[in-house]
Amino acid sequence: MSLRQPDLFYGDRKPPPTLKPERSYRRERKASAKPFAWESMGTWVRHMHRLFAIETPSTDHYARTRETARCLTIERVRECRHDDDLGRCEAMLVEAGAGWLYGLDRAFSKAERGALLVEVRNRRYLIALGRNAAKTKGPRLDPRSLPDDALDRLIQSHADVTIVDRLRRERERRVIESEE
């Protein structure tokens, strides 16, 4: 008898070789679920609510929910022009950890949700102001953009002499342009 334990079915005989890996059965790689296509923030909110309403543990469902949620980007938030849709999106981001089986807390990290929430709130504020985009950053004090009364007031009250000189030159330039 050999040192090894005798095989239950084959005794001391060698068992037949197993199938080679290329001939063995392997499951086909199944295509993952694709995210829902959406064009506006309102349709994204509706799709997400539809996906949240289905609470069945399924890999396809989780993948579709995650991919649909991750389609929400800062650029897409900036394109939105409807305050009510942004309000619904804001509510979803705030209530992300409210106990859904698979919610936005699984699709986004806390930092990503925070960045999206900040962008949604900034966009809502801009819409409330009646703007489509944020103001462009320019020089801190540009004398060319000041109205005449503000220019005169700053010449009289500003503490920095170099700025007052720049303001006086701007006033002189405006007087010369108005005479021509």
Side-chain angles (χ1 to χ4, degrees):
M1 188 165 182
S2 66
L3 294 175
R4 71 174 185 86
Q5 285 286 346
D7 190 86
L8 183 64
F9 296 106
Y10 296 102
D12 285 337
R13 290 179 297 143
K14 186 177 176 184
T18 58
L19 292 174
K20 295 180 180 176
E22 65 266 7
R23 295 185 65 196
S24 66
Y25 174 74
R26 289 190 184 149
R27 290 177 48 177
E28 294 283 329
R29 293 288 288 176
K30 196 165 95 174
S32 62
K34 294 186 178 179
F36 288 130
W38 57 282
E39 294 182 10
S40 71
M41 189 70 64
T43 56
W44 181 83
V45 169
R46 283 193 297 276
H47 284 320
M48 292 311 297
H49 280 301
R50 183 181 308 145
L51 287 168
F52 291 155
I54 304 169
E55 289 199 2
T56 54
S58 164
T59 305
D60 287 341
H61 175 67
Y62 293 154
R64 177 171 284 127
T65 303
R66 183 177 48 256
E67 294 303 318
T68 305
R70 292 199 64 82
C71 288
L72 180 67
T73 59
I74 290 176
E75 291 78 24
R76 286 187 127 173
V77 170
R78 287 182 183 153
E79 291 174 4
C80 184
R81 302 200 187 310
H82 302 287
D83 187 51
D84 54 341
D85 292 339
L86 287 169
R88 290 186 196 101
C89 180
E90 180 182 4
M92 288 177 72
L93 288 169
V94 167
E95 298 169 0
W100 296 99
L101 178 66
Y102 195 91
L104 291 180
D105 57 334
R106 303 282 181 98
F108 295 112
S109 68
K110 195 171 185 179
E112 290 170 330
R113 277 185 314 203
L116 285 170
L117 188 59
V118 166
E119 193 61 39
V120 166
R121 288 178 175 164
N122 288 347
R123 185 70 187 143
R124 290 190 75 196
Y125 183 70
L126 283 176
I127 289 173
L129 290 175
R131 294 189 195 147
N132 285 331
K135 287 171 69 174
T136 56
K137 298 284 184 178
R140 187 165 177 203
L141 178 63
D142 186 14
R144 291 178 182 252
S145 64
L146 292 172
D148 290 334
D149 56 342
L151 189 67
D152 293 333
R153 185 176 64 248
L154 280 174
I155 288 173
Q156 295 296 322
S157 63
H158 204 282
D160 192 359
V161 178
T162 57
I163 293 179
V164 171
D165 289 338
R166 283 179 43 210
L167 295 171
R168 284 186 179 142
R169 277 182 278 171
E170 175 62 24
R171 184 174 61 180
E172 290 170 6
R173 186 190 65 79
R174 289 182 187 183
V175 168
I176 291 171
E177 279 184 1
S178 66
E179 290 175 355
E180 292 177 351

Coordinates of all heavy atoms in Angstrom, one line a residue, residues 5-91:
Q5 N -3.4 8.1 1.2 CA -4.6 7.4 1.6 C -5.2 6.8 0.3 O -5.2 7.4 -0.7 CB -5.6 8.4 2.2 CG -5.3 8.8 3.6 CD -5.6 7.7 4.6 OE1 -6.3 6.7 4.3 NE2 -5.0 7.8 5.8
P6 N -5.8 5.6 0.4 CA -6.4 5.1 -0.7 C -7.6 5.9 -1.1 O -8.4 6.3 -0.2 CB -6.8 3.6 -0.3 CG -6.7 3.6 1.1 CD -5.8 4.7 1.6
D7 N -7.8 6.0 -2.4 CA -9.0 6.8 -2.9 C -10.3 6.0 -2.6 O -10.2 4.8 -2.7 CB -8.8 7.1 -4.4 CG -9.9 8.0 -4.8 OD1 -9.6 9.3 -4.7 OD2 -10.9 7.6 -5.3
L8 N -11.3 6.7 -2.3 CA -12.6 6.0 -1.9 C -13.1 5.1 -3.0 O -13.6 4.0 -2.8 CB -13.6 7.1 -1.5 CG -14.9 6.5 -1.0 CD1 -14.7 5.7 0.3 CD2 -15.9 7.7 -0.7
F9 N -13.0 5.6 -4.2 CA -13.6 4.9 -5.4 C -12.6 4.1 -6.2 O -12.9 3.1 -6.8 CB -14.3 5.9 -6.3 CG -15.5 6.5 -5.6 CD1 -15.4 7.9 -5.3 CD2 -16.7 5.8 -5.4 CE1 -16.5 8.5 -4.7 CE2 -17.7 6.4 -4.8 CZ -17.7 7.8 -4.4
Y10 N -11.3 4.6 -6.2 CA -10.4 4.0 -7.0 C -9.3 3.1 -6.3 O -8.5 2.5 -6.9 CB -9.6 5.0 -7.9 CG -10.6 5.7 -8.8 CD1 -11.1 7.0 -8.5 CD2 -11.0 5.1 -10.0 CE1 -12.0 7.6 -9.3 CE2 -11.9 5.7 -10.8 CZ -12.4 7.0 -10.5 OH -13.3 7.6 -11.3
G11 N -9.3 3.1 -5.0 CA -8.4 2.4 -4.2 C -7.0 2.9 -4.5 O -6.7 4.1 -4.4
D12 N -6.0 1.9 -4.8 CA -4.6 2.3 -5.1 C -4.4 2.8 -6.5 O -3.4 3.3 -6.9 CB -3.7 1.2 -4.8 CG -3.5 1.0 -3.3 OD1 -3.8 2.0 -2.6 OD2 -3.2 -0.1 -2.9
R13 N -5.4 2.6 -7.3 CA -5.3 3.0 -8.7 C -5.3 4.5 -8.8 O -6.0 5.2 -8.0 CB -6.4 2.4 -9.6 CG -6.2 0.9 -9.8 CD -7.3 0.3 -10.6 NE -8.6 0.5 -9.9 CZ -9.7 0.8 -10.5 NH1 -9.8 1.0 -11.8 NH2 -10.8 1.0 -9.8
K14 N -4.7 5.1 -9.8 CA -4.7 6.5 -10.1 C -6.1 6.9 -10.7 O -6.5 6.3 -11.6 CB -3.6 6.9 -11.0 CG -3.4 8.3 -11.2 CD -2.2 8.6 -12.1 CE -2.1 10.0 -12.4 NZ -1.0 10.3 -13.3
P15 N -6.7 8.0 -10.1 CA -8.0 8.4 -10.7 C -7.8 8.9 -12.1 O -6.7 9.4 -12.5 CB -8.5 9.5 -9.8 CG -7.4 9.9 -8.9 CD -6.4 8.8 -9.0
P16 N -8.8 8.9 -13.0 CA -8.6 9.4 -14.3 C -8.4 11.0 -14.3 O -8.9 11.6 -13.4 CB -10.0 9.1 -15.0 CG -10.9 8.9 -13.9 CD -10.1 8.4 -12.8
P17 N -7.6 11.5 -15.2 CA -7.3 12.9 -15.2 C -8.6 13.7 -15.4 O -9.5 13.3 -16.1 CB -6.4 13.1 -16.4 CG -6.6 11.9 -17.3 CD -7.0 10.8 -16.4
T18 N -8.6 14.9 -14.9 CA -9.8 15.8 -15.0 C -9.7 16.5 -16.4 O -8.6 16.5 -17.1 CB -9.8 16.8 -13.9 OG1 -8.6 17.6 -14.0 CG2 -10.0 16.2 -12.6
L19 N -10.8 17.1 -16.8 CA -10.8 17.8 -18.0 C -9.8 19.0 -18.0 O -9.6 19.6 -17.0 CB -12.2 18.4 -18.3 CG -13.3 17.3 -18.6 CD1 -14.6 18.0 -18.7 CD2 -12.9 16.6 -19.9
K20 N -9.2 19.3 -19.2 CA -8.4 20.4 -19.3 C -9.2 21.7 -19.1 O -10.3 21.7 -19.5 CB -7.6 20.4 -20.6 CG -6.7 19.2 -20.8 CD -6.0 19.2 -22.1 CE -5.1 18.0 -22.2 NZ -4.5 17.8 -23.5
P21 N -8.5 22.8 -18.7 CA -9.3 24.0 -18.4 C -10.0 24.6 -19.7 O -11.1 25.1 -19.5 CB -8.2 25.0 -18.0 CG -7.1 24.1 -17.5 CD -7.2 22.9 -18.2
E22 N -9.5 24.4 -20.9 CA -10.1 25.0 -22.0 C -11.4 24.2 -22.4 O -12.3 24.6 -23.1 CB -9.2 25.1 -23.2 CG -8.7 23.7 -23.8 CD -7.4 23.3 -23.2 OE1 -6.9 24.0 -22.3 OE2 -6.9 22.3 -23.7
R23 N -11.5 23.0 -21.9 CA -12.7 22.2 -22.2 C -13.7 22.2 -21.0 O -14.8 21.7 -21.2 CB -12.2 20.7 -22.5 CG -11.4 20.7 -23.8 CD -11.1 19.3 -24.1 NE -12.3 18.6 -24.5 CZ -12.4 17.3 -24.5 NH1 -11.4 16.5 -24.3 NH2 -13.6 16.7 -24.8
S24 N -13.3 22.7 -19.9 CA -14.2 22.7 -18.8 C -15.3 23.7 -19.0 O -15.1 24.7 -19.7 CB -13.4 22.9 -17.5 OG -12.9 24.2 -17.4
Y25 N -16.3 23.6 -18.2 CA -17.5 24.5 -18.4 C -17.2 25.8 -17.6 O -16.9 25.8 -16.4 CB -18.7 23.8 -17.9 CG -19.9 24.8 -17.8 CD1 -20.5 25.2 -19.0 CD2 -20.3 25.3 -16.7 CE1 -21.6 26.0 -19.0 CE2 -21.4 26.2 -16.6 CZ -22.0 26.6 -17.8 OH -23.1 27.4 -17.8
R26 N -17.2 26.9 -18.3 CA -17.2 28.2 -17.7 C -18.3 29.0 -18.1 O -18.7 29.0 -19.3 CB -15.9 28.9 -18.1 CG -14.7 28.3 -17.5 CD -13.5 29.2 -17.7 NE -12.3 28.5 -17.2 CZ -11.1 28.6 -17.7 NH1 -10.9 29.4 -18.7 NH2 -10.1 28.0 -17.2
R27 N -18.9 29.7 -17.1 CA -20.1 30.5 -17.5 C -19.7 31.7 -18.4 O -18.6 32.3 -18.2 CB -20.7 31.1 -16.2 CG -21.4 30.0 -15.4 CD -22.0 30.5 -14.2 NE -22.8 31.7 -14.3 CZ -23.4 32.3 -13.4 NH1 -23.4 31.8 -12.2 NH2 -24.1 33.4 -13.6
E28 N -20.5 32.0 -19.3 CA -20.3 33.1 -20.2 C -20.4 34.4 -19.4 O -21.2 34.5 -18.5 CB -21.4 33.1 -21.3 CG -21.3 31.9 -22.3 CD -20.2 32.1 -23.3 OE1 -19.8 33.2 -23.6 OE2 -19.6 31.0 -23.6
R29 N -19.5 35.3 -19.8 CA -19.5 36.7 -19.2 C -20.8 37.4 -19.7 O -20.9 37.6 -20.8 CB -18.3 37.5 -19.5 CG -17.0 36.9 -18.9 CD -16.9 37.1 -17.5 NE -16.7 38.5 -17.2 CZ -16.6 39.0 -15.9 NH1 -16.7 38.2 -14.9 NH2 -16.4 40.2 -15.7
K30 N -21.7 37.7 -18.7 CA -22.9 38.3 -19.1 C -22.7 39.8 -19.1 O -22.0 40.4 -18.3 CB -24.0 38.0 -18.0 CG -25.4 38.3 -18.5 CD -26.4 37.6 -17.6 CE -26.8 38.6 -16.5 NZ -27.8 38.1 -15.7
A31 N -23.2 40.5 -20.1 CA -23.1 41.9 -20.2 C -23.8 42.6 -19.0 O -24.9 42.1 -18.6 CB -23.7 42.4 -21.5
S32 N -23.2 43.6 -18.4 CA -23.8 44.3 -17.3 C -24.9 45.1 -17.7 O -25.0 45.5 -18.9 CB -22.7 45.1 -16.6 OG -22.2 46.1 -17.4
A33 N -25.8 45.4 -16.8 CA -27.0 46.2 -17.1 C -26.5 47.6 -17.4 O -25.7 48.2 -16.8 CB -27.9 46.2 -15.9
K34 N -27.2 48.2 -18.4 CA -26.8 49.5 -18.9 C -27.6 50.6 -18.1 O -28.8 50.3 -17.7 CB -27.0 49.7 -20.4 CG -26.1 48.9 -21.2 CD -26.2 49.1 -22.6 CE -25.2 48.3 -23.4 NZ -25.3 48.4 -24.8
P35 N -27.1 51.8 -17.9 CA -27.9 52.8 -17.2 C -29.0 53.3 -18.1 O -29.0 53.2 -19.3 CB -26.8 53.9 -16.9 CG -25.8 53.7 -17.9 CD -25.7 52.2 -18.2
F36 N -30.0 53.8 -17.4 CA -31.1 54.5 -18.2 C -30.6 55.8 -18.8 O -29.8 56.5 -18.2 CB -32.3 54.8 -17.2 CG -33.1 53.6 -16.8 CD1 -33.3 53.4 -15.5 CD2 -33.5 52.7 -17.7 CE1 -34.1 52.3 -15.0 CE2 -34.2 51.6 -17.3 CZ -34.5 51.4 -16.0
A37 N -31.0 56.0 -20.0 CA -30.6 57.3 -20.7 C -31.5 58.4 -20.2 O -32.7 58.2 -20.0 CB -30.7 57.1 -22.2
W38 N -30.9 59.5 -20.0 CA -31.8 60.7 -19.6 C -31.2 62.0 -20.2 O -30.1 62.1 -20.5 CB -31.8 60.7 -18.0 CG -30.5 60.8 -17.4 CD1 -29.6 59.8 -17.1 CD2 -29.9 62.0 -16.8 NE1 -28.6 60.3 -16.4 CE2 -28.7 61.6 -16.2 CE3 -30.3 63.4 -16.7 CZ2 -27.9 62.5 -15.6 CZ3 -29.5 64.2 -16.1 CH2 -28.3 63.8 -15.5
E39 N -32.1 62.9 -20.3 CA -31.7 64.2 -20.9 C -31.9 65.4 -20.0 O -31.3 66.4 -20.2 CB -32.6 64.4 -22.2 CG -32.3 63.4 -23.3 CD -33.1 63.7 -24.5 OE1 -33.7 64.7 -24.6 OE2 -33.1 62.8 -25.4
S40 N -32.7 65.2 -19.0 CA -32.9 66.4 -18.1 C -32.9 65.9 -16.7 O -32.9 64.7 -16.4 CB -34.3 67.0 -18.3 OG -35.3 66.2 -17.9
M41 N -32.7 66.8 -15.7 CA -32.6 66.5 -14.3 C -33.9 65.8 -13.9 O -33.9 64.9 -13.0 CB -32.3 67.7 -13.5 CG -32.0 67.4 -12.1 SD -30.4 66.7 -11.9 CE -29.3 67.9 -12.4
G42 N -35.1 66.2 -14.4 CA -36.3 65.6 -14.0 C -36.4 64.2 -14.4 O -36.9 63.3 -13.6
T43 N -35.9 63.8 -15.6 CA -36.0 62.4 -16.0 C -35.0 61.6 -15.1 O -35.3 60.4 -14.8 CB -35.7 62.2 -17.5 OG1 -34.4 62.8 -17.8 CG2 -36.7 62.8 -18.3
W44 N -33.9 62.2 -14.8 CA -32.9 61.4 -13.9 C -33.6 61.1 -12.6 O -33.5 60.0 -12.0 CB -31.6 62.2 -13.7 CG -30.7 61.6 -12.8 CD1 -29.8 60.6 -13.2 CD2 -30.4 61.7 -11.4 NE1 -29.0 60.2 -12.1 CE2 -29.4 60.9 -11.0 CE3 -31.0 62.6 -10.5 CZ2 -29.0 60.8 -9.7 CZ3 -30.6 62.5 -9.2 CH2 -29.6 61.6 -8.8
V45 N -34.3 62.1 -12.0 CA -35.0 62.0 -10.7 C -36.0 60.9 -10.8 O -36.1 60.0 -10.0 CB -35.6 63.3 -10.2 CG1 -36.5 63.1 -9.0 CG2 -34.5 64.3 -9.9
R46 N -36.8 60.9 -11.9 CA -37.8 59.9 -12.1 C -37.2 58.5 -12.3 O -37.7 57.5 -11.7 CB -38.7 60.2 -13.3 CG -39.7 61.3 -13.1 CD -40.8 61.4 -14.2 NE -40.2 61.8 -15.4 CZ -39.9 63.0 -15.8 NH1 -40.2 64.0 -15.0 NH2 -39.4 63.3 -17.0
H47 N -36.2 58.4 -13.0 CA -35.5 57.1 -13.2 C -35.0 56.6 -11.8 O -35.1 55.4 -11.5 CB -34.3 57.2 -14.2 CG -34.7 57.2 -15.6 ND1 -35.7 56.5 -16.1 CD2 -34.2 58.0 -16.6 CE1 -35.8 56.7 -17.4 NE2 -34.9 57.6 -17.7
M48 N -34.4 57.4 -11.1 CA -33.8 57.0 -9.8 C -34.9 56.6 -8.8 O -34.8 55.6 -8.1 CB -33.0 58.1 -9.1 CG -31.7 58.4 -9.9 SD -30.7 57.0 -10.3 CE -30.3 56.3 -8.7
H49 N -36.1 57.3 -8.8 CA -37.2 56.9 -8.0 C -37.7 55.5 -8.4 O -38.1 54.7 -7.6 CB -38.3 57.9 -8.0 CG -38.0 59.1 -7.0 ND1 -37.8 58.9 -5.7 CD2 -37.8 60.4 -7.3 CE1 -37.5 60.1 -5.1 NE2 -37.5 61.0 -6.1
R50 N -37.8 55.3 -9.7 CA -38.3 54.1 -10.3 C -37.3 52.9 -9.8 O -37.8 51.9 -9.4 CB -38.3 54.1 -11.8 CG -38.9 52.9 -12.4 CD -38.9 52.9 -13.9 NE -39.6 54.1 -14.4 CZ -39.2 54.8 -15.5 NH1 -38.2 54.4 -16.2 NH2 -39.9 55.9 -15.9
L51 N -36.0 53.2 -9.9 CA -35.1 52.1 -9.5 C -35.1 51.9 -8.0 O -34.9 50.8 -7.5 CB -33.7 52.5 -9.9 CG -33.4 52.4 -11.4 CD1 -32.1 53.1 -11.8 CD2 -33.4 51.0 -11.9
F52 N -35.3 52.9 -7.2 CA -35.4 52.8 -5.7 C -36.6 52.0 -5.3 O -36.7 51.4 -4.3 CB -35.3 54.1 -5.0 CG -34.0 54.8 -5.1 CD1 -33.9 56.2 -5.0 CD2 -32.8 54.1 -5.4 CE1 -32.7 56.8 -5.1 CE2 -31.6 54.7 -5.5 CZ -31.5 56.1 -5.3
A53 N -37.7 52.1 -6.1 CA -39.0 51.5 -5.8 C -38.8 49.9 -5.9 O -39.6 49.2 -5.3 CB -40.1 52.0 -6.7
I54 N -37.9 49.5 -6.8 CA -37.7 48.1 -6.9 C -36.6 47.7 -5.9 O -35.5 47.9 -6.0 CB -37.1 47.7 -8.4 CG1 -38.1 48.3 -9.4 CG2 -36.9 46.3 -8.5 CD1 -37.5 48.2 -10.8
E55 N -37.1 47.0 -4.9 CA -36.1 46.6 -3.8 C -35.9 45.1 -3.9 O -36.3 44.4 -2.9 CB -36.6 47.0 -2.5 CG -36.5 48.5 -2.3 CD -36.5 48.9 -0.8 OE1 -36.6 48.1 0.0 OE2 -36.5 50.1 -0.6
T56 N -35.4 44.6 -5.0 CA -35.1 43.2 -5.1 C -33.5 43.1 -5.1 O -32.9 43.8 -5.9 CB -35.7 42.5 -6.3 OG1 -35.3 43.3 -7.4 CG2 -37.2 42.5 -6.2
P57 N -33.0 42.2 -4.3 CA -31.5 42.0 -4.4 C -31.1 41.3 -5.7 O -31.3 40.2 -5.9 CB -31.2 41.2 -3.2 CG -32.4 40.5 -2.9 CD -33.6 41.4 -3.3
S58 N -30.5 42.1 -6.6 CA -30.1 41.6 -7.9 C -28.9 42.3 -8.3 O -28.8 43.6 -8.3 CB -31.2 41.8 -8.9 OG -30.8 41.7 -10.2
T59 N -27.9 41.6 -8.9 CA -26.7 42.3 -9.3 C -26.9 43.2 -10.4 O -26.4 44.3 -10.5 CB -25.7 41.2 -9.7 OG1 -25.5 40.3 -8.6 CG2 -24.3 41.8 -10.1
D60 N -27.8 42.8 -11.4 CA -28.1 43.7 -12.5 C -28.8 45.0 -12.0 O -28.6 46.1 -12.5 CB -29.1 43.0 -13.5 CG -28.3 41.9 -14.3 OD1 -27.1 42.0 -14.4 OD2 -29.0 41.0 -14.9
H61 N -29.7 44.8 -11.1 CA -30.4 46.0 -10.5 C -29.5 46.9 -9.8 O -29.5 48.1 -10.0 CB -31.5 45.5 -9.6 CG -32.2 46.7 -8.9 ND1 -33.0 47.5 -9.6 CD2 -32.2 47.1 -7.6 CE1 -33.5 48.5 -8.7 NE2 -33.0 48.2 -7.5
Y62 N -28.5 46.4 -9.0 CA -27.6 47.2 -8.4 C -26.7 47.9 -9.4 O -26.4 49.1 -9.2 CB -26.7 46.4 -7.4 CG -27.4 45.8 -6.2 CD1 -27.0 44.7 -5.6 CD2 -28.6 46.4 -5.8 CE1 -27.7 44.2 -4.5 CE2 -29.3 45.9 -4.7 CZ -28.8 44.8 -4.1 OH -29.5 44.3 -3.0
A63 N -26.2 47.2 -10.4 CA -25.4 47.8 -11.4 C -26.1 48.9 -12.2 O -25.5 50.0 -12.4 CB -24.9 46.7 -12.4
R64 N -27.3 48.7 -12.5 CA -28.1 49.7 -13.3 C -28.3 50.9 -12.4 O -28.2 52.0 -12.8 CB -29.4 49.1 -13.7 CG -30.3 50.2 -14.4 CD -31.5 49.6 -15.1 NE -31.1 49.0 -16.3 CZ -31.4 47.7 -16.7 NH1 -32.1 47.0 -15.9 NH2 -31.0 47.2 -17.8
T65 N -28.7 50.7 -11.1 CA -28.9 51.8 -10.2 C -27.6 52.6 -10.0 O -27.6 53.9 -10.1 CB -29.4 51.3 -8.8 OG1 -30.5 50.5 -9.0 CG2 -29.6 52.4 -7.9
R66 N -26.5 51.9 -9.8 CA -25.2 52.6 -9.7 C -24.8 53.4 -10.9 O -24.4 54.6 -10.8 CB -24.1 51.6 -9.3 CG -22.8 52.3 -9.0 CD -21.7 51.3 -8.6 NE -21.6 50.1 -9.4 CZ -22.1 48.9 -9.1 NH1 -22.7 48.7 -8.0 NH2 -22.0 47.9 -10.0
E67 N -25.0 52.8 -12.1 CA -24.5 53.5 -13.3 C -25.5 54.6 -13.7 O -25.0 55.7 -14.1 CB -24.5 52.5 -14.5 CG -23.4 51.4 -14.3 CD -22.0 52.0 -14.2 OE1 -21.7 53.0 -14.9 OE2 -21.3 51.5 -13.3
T68 N -26.8 54.5 -13.4 CA -27.7 55.6 -13.7 C -27.4 56.7 -12.7 O -27.4 57.9 -13.1 CB -29.2 55.1 -13.5 OG1 -29.4 54.0 -14.4 CG2 -30.1 56.2 -13.9
A69 N -27.1 56.4 -11.5 CA -26.9 57.5 -10.5 C -25.6 58.2 -10.8 O -25.5 59.4 -10.8 CB -26.8 56.9 -9.1
R70 N -24.6 57.5 -11.3 CA -23.3 58.1 -11.5 C -23.3 58.9 -12.8 O -22.3 59.6 -13.1 CB -22.2 57.0 -11.6 CG -21.9 56.4 -10.2 CD -20.6 55.7 -10.0 NE -19.5 56.6 -10.2 CZ -19.0 57.4 -9.2 NH1 -19.6 57.4 -8.0 NH2 -17.9 58.1 -9.4
C71 N -24.3 58.8 -13.6 CA -24.5 59.7 -14.8 C -24.7 61.1 -14.4 O -24.5 62.0 -15.2 CB -25.6 59.3 -15.6 SG -25.3 57.7 -16.6
L72 N -25.1 61.4 -13.1 CA -25.2 62.7 -12.6 C -23.8 63.3 -12.3 O -23.1 62.8 -11.4 CB -26.1 62.7 -11.3 CG -26.3 64.1 -10.7 CD1 -27.2 64.9 -11.6 CD2 -26.9 64.0 -9.3
T73 N -23.5 64.3 -13.1 CA -22.1 64.9 -12.9 C -22.3 66.4 -12.6 O -23.4 66.9 -12.8 CB -21.3 64.7 -14.2 OG1 -21.9 65.3 -15.3 CG2 -21.0 63.2 -14.4
I74 N -21.3 67.0 -12.2 CA -21.3 68.5 -12.0 C -21.6 69.2 -13.2 O -22.4 70.2 -13.2 CB -20.0 68.9 -11.3 CG1 -19.9 68.3 -9.9 CG2 -19.8 70.4 -11.3 CD1 -18.6 68.6 -9.2
E75 N -21.1 68.8 -14.4 CA -21.4 69.5 -15.6 C -22.8 69.4 -16.0 O -23.4 70.3 -16.5 CB -20.5 68.8 -16.8 CG -19.0 69.1 -16.7 CD -18.3 68.2 -15.6 OE1 -18.9 67.1 -15.3 OE2 -17.3 68.6 -15.1
R76 N -23.5 68.2 -15.7 CA -24.9 68.1 -16.0 C -25.7 68.9 -15.1 O -26.8 69.4 -15.5 CB -25.3 66.6 -16.0 CG -24.8 65.9 -17.2 CD -25.3 64.5 -17.2 NE -25.9 64.2 -18.5 CZ -26.4 63.1 -18.9 NH1 -26.3 62.0 -18.1 NH2 -26.9 62.9 -20.1
V77 N -25.3 69.1 -13.9 CA -26.0 69.9 -12.9 C -25.9 71.4 -13.4 O -26.9 72.1 -13.4 CB -25.4 69.8 -11.5 CG1 -26.0 70.9 -10.6 CG2 -25.7 68.4 -10.9
R78 N -24.8 71.8 -13.9 CA -24.6 73.2 -14.4 C -25.5 73.5 -15.6 O -25.8 74.6 -15.9 CB -23.2 73.4 -14.7 CG -22.3 73.6 -13.5 CD -20.9 73.9 -13.9 NE -20.1 73.9 -12.7 CZ -18.8 73.6 -12.6 NH1 -18.1 73.3 -13.7 NH2 -18.2 73.7 -11.5
E79 N -25.8 72.4 -16.4 CA -26.7 72.6 -17.6 C -28.1 72.7 -17.2 O -28.9 73.2 -18.0 CB -26.5 71.4 -18.5 CG -25.1 71.3 -19.2 CD -25.0 70.1 -20.0 OE1 -25.9 69.3 -20.1 OE2 -23.9 69.9 -20.5
C80 N -28.6 72.3 -16.0 CA -30.0 72.3 -15.7 C -30.5 73.7 -15.5 O -29.8 74.5 -14.8 CB -30.2 71.5 -14.4 SG -31.9 71.3 -14.0
R81 N -31.7 74.0 -16.0 CA -32.2 75.3 -15.9 C -33.6 75.4 -15.1 O -34.3 76.3 -15.1 CB -32.5 75.9 -17.2 CG -31.2 76.0 -18.0 CD -31.3 77.0 -19.2 NE -30.2 77.1 -20.1 CZ -28.9 77.2 -19.8 NH1 -28.5 77.2 -18.6 NH2 -28.0 77.2 -20.8
H82 N -33.9 74.2 -14.5 CA -35.2 74.1 -13.8 C -35.0 74.0 -12.3 O -34.5 72.9 -11.9 CB -36.0 72.9 -14.4 CG -36.2 73.0 -15.8 ND1 -37.1 73.9 -16.4 CD2 -35.7 72.4 -16.9 CE1 -37.1 73.8 -17.7 NE2 -36.2 72.9 -18.0
D83 N -35.5 74.9 -11.6 CA -35.3 74.9 -10.1 C -36.0 73.8 -9.4 O -35.5 73.2 -8.5 CB -35.7 76.3 -9.6 CG -35.4 76.4 -8.1 OD1 -34.2 76.2 -7.8 OD2 -36.2 76.7 -7.3
D84 N -37.2 73.4 -9.9 CA -37.9 72.4 -9.2 C -37.2 71.0 -9.4 O -37.2 70.2 -8.4 CB -39.4 72.3 -9.7 CG -39.4 72.2 -11.3 OD1 -38.4 72.5 -11.9 OD2 -40.5 71.7 -11.8
D85 N -36.7 70.8 -10.5 CA -35.9 69.5 -10.7 C -34.6 69.5 -9.8 O -34.3 68.5 -9.2 CB -35.5 69.3 -12.2 CG -36.7 69.1 -13.1 OD1 -37.7 68.7 -12.6 OD2 -36.6 69.3 -14.3
L86 N -34.0 70.6 -9.7 CA -32.8 70.7 -8.9 C -33.2 70.6 -7.4 O -32.4 70.0 -6.6 CB -32.1 72.1 -9.1 CG -31.3 72.2 -10.4 CD1 -30.9 73.7 -10.6 CD2 -30.1 71.3 -10.4
G87 N -34.4 71.1 -7.0 CA -34.9 70.9 -5.7 C -35.1 69.4 -5.3 O -34.7 68.9 -4.3
R88 N -35.7 68.6 -6.3 CA -35.9 67.2 -6.1 C -34.5 66.5 -6.0 O -34.3 65.6 -5.2 CB -36.7 66.6 -7.2 CG -38.1 67.1 -7.2 CD -38.9 66.4 -8.3 NE -40.2 67.1 -8.5 CZ -40.4 67.9 -9.5 NH1 -39.5 68.0 -10.5 NH2 -41.6 68.5 -9.6
C89 N -33.6 66.9 -6.8 CA -32.3 66.3 -6.8 C -31.6 66.6 -5.5 O -30.9 65.7 -4.9 CB -31.4 66.8 -8.0 SG -29.8 66.1 -8.1
E90 N -31.7 67.8 -5.0 CA -31.1 68.2 -3.7 C -31.7 67.3 -2.6 O -31.0 66.8 -1.7 CB -31.4 69.7 -3.5 CG -30.8 70.2 -2.2 CD -31.1 71.6 -1.9 OE1 -31.8 72.2 -2.7 OE2 -30.6 72.1 -0.9
A91 N -33.0 67.1 -2.6 CA -33.6 66.3 -1.6 C -33.1 64.9 -1.6 O -32.9 64.3 -0.6 CB -35.1 66.3 -1.7

